[in-house]
Amino acid sequence: NAGVTQTPKFRVLKTGQSMTLLCAQDMNHEYMYWYRQDPGMGLRLIHYSVGEGTTAKGEVPDGYNVSRLKKQNFLLGLESAAPSQTSVYFCASSSLPVRSTDTQYFGPGTRLTVL
Amino acid sequence: AQSVTQPDIHITVSEGASLELRCNYSYGATPYLFWYVQSPGQGLQLLLKYFSGDTLVQGIKGFEAEFKRSQSSFNLRKPSVHWSDAAEYFCAVGAQNNDMRFGAGTRLTVKP
């Protein structure tokens, strides 16, 4: 039981390049989330999904797209990377919504640098 | 709008001393409140959560937190800190639309 895994762990991009971050969970969770963490700002929600085939915007969605084609995977895409997207990205999953008795489980993070 | 404030960016305590980390929230409805811990280079781990009932909640690793509605606070406490508690601590409120709002975090240093 691996929990929540993220691929890759590190990545350096040049401005304008594109990439996809993969999040996978083996807990059969319905809900999945992508956050970014910047110094002094805590985590901020980018996008989330309430089930296979669904996606929704969070607090800071601009510049990102997501897809949830399979229940266990949640992909975060950057179509044209910008230096402002340099951050640490965390994926999380849960079986119930945020406002419930359930717990979010976090992956180890992906450190992305955009030059 | 929902928000969380952690007034202390960095706290240093001696090993064996007591600890209190402050958290204030702003949310119109009944808050779902969480404390997470993040060790360097790691993801977040849930310490404890509050959603109803007893306002003093117990968590893992000997931590507890007290919900005070009148003060809009959810402070984290531990009676005796261990060196392994050195980490960054985040308070969060579960808001509508599955939005989890996090505070900026408090970094804890433990002196020998």
Side-chain angles (χ1 to χ4, degrees):
Chain A
N1 187 336
V4 180
T5 58
Q6 294 182 230
T7 308
K9 290 184 169 55
F10 304 93
R11 186 72 186 268
V12 178
L13 290 178
K14 295 181 179 178
T15 297
Q17 288 185 318
S18 64
M19 78 161 295
T20 300
L21 281 66
L22 170 64
C23 175
Q25 52 94 5
D26 61 2
M27 296 173 282
N28 201 35
H29 285 168
E30 291 292 338
Y31 296 77
M32 296 187 75
Y33 314 81
W34 275 109
Y35 294 92
R36 60 177 290 173
Q37 183 180 31
D38 301 297
M41 298 188 72
L43 277 73
R44 292 180 292 168
L45 184 65
I46 304 171
H47 286 281
Y48 65 95
S49 168
V50 301
E52 182 177 318
T54 75
T55 63
K57 294 180 180 180
E59 183 185 0
V60 289
D62 294 341
Y64 304 95
N65 56 75
V66 288
S67 64
R68 183 103 181 265
L69 299 179
K70 294 182 178 181
K71 185 176 184 178
Q72 64 267 33
N73 296 338
F74 195 30
L75 279 64
L76 178 71
L78 287 72
E79 289 187 348
S80 180
S84 60
Q85 294 177 304
T86 294
S87 188
V88 181
Y89 292 85
F90 287 98
C91 177
S93 71
S94 63
S95 56
L96 294 173
V98 162
R99 287 181 61 80
S100 73
T101 59
D102 197 24
T103 299
Q104 282 194 8
Y105 295 87
F106 283 81
T110 294
R111 185 174 295 274
L112 175 66
T113 301
V114 183
L115 302 176
Chain B
Q2 51 269 20
S3 65
V4 173
T5 301
Q6 293 180 246
D8 305 304
I9 295 173
H10 183 207
I11 283 183
T12 300
V13 300
S14 297
E15 190 168 16
S18 64
L19 171 70
E20 181 169 30
L21 302 182
R22 296 183 292 163
C23 172
N24 293 98
Y25 69 90
S26 172
Y27 190 68
T30 301
Y32 284 65
L33 296 163
F34 306 81
W35 274 101
Y36 285 88
V37 62
Q38 183 181 32
S39 297
Q42 303 295 315
L44 277 69
Q45 181 184 23
L46 181 69
L47 286 176
L48 47 78
K49 58 190 173 187
Y50 169 81
F51 52 93
S52 67
D54 193 349
T55 57
L56 185 63
V57 293
Q58 303 297 322
I60 62 171
K61 304 185 181 187
F63 286 93
E64 67 178 25
E66 186 171 13
F67 170 60
K68 293 186 178 180
R69 184 184 297 275
S70 61
Q71 298 177 18
S72 297
S73 68
F74 188 55
N75 294 348
L76 182 72
R77 301 195 292 250
K78 187 170 184 177
S80 178
V81 169
H82 188 262
W83 64 266
S84 60
D85 293 324
E88 187 138 22
Y89 292 80
F90 292 94
C91 181
V93 61
Q96 299 295 346
N97 298 322
N98 286 293
D99 196 355
M100 184 88 87
R101 292 297 173 103
F102 286 82
T106 297
R107 183 162 61 92
L108 174 65
T109 298
V110 181
K111 292 191 302 184

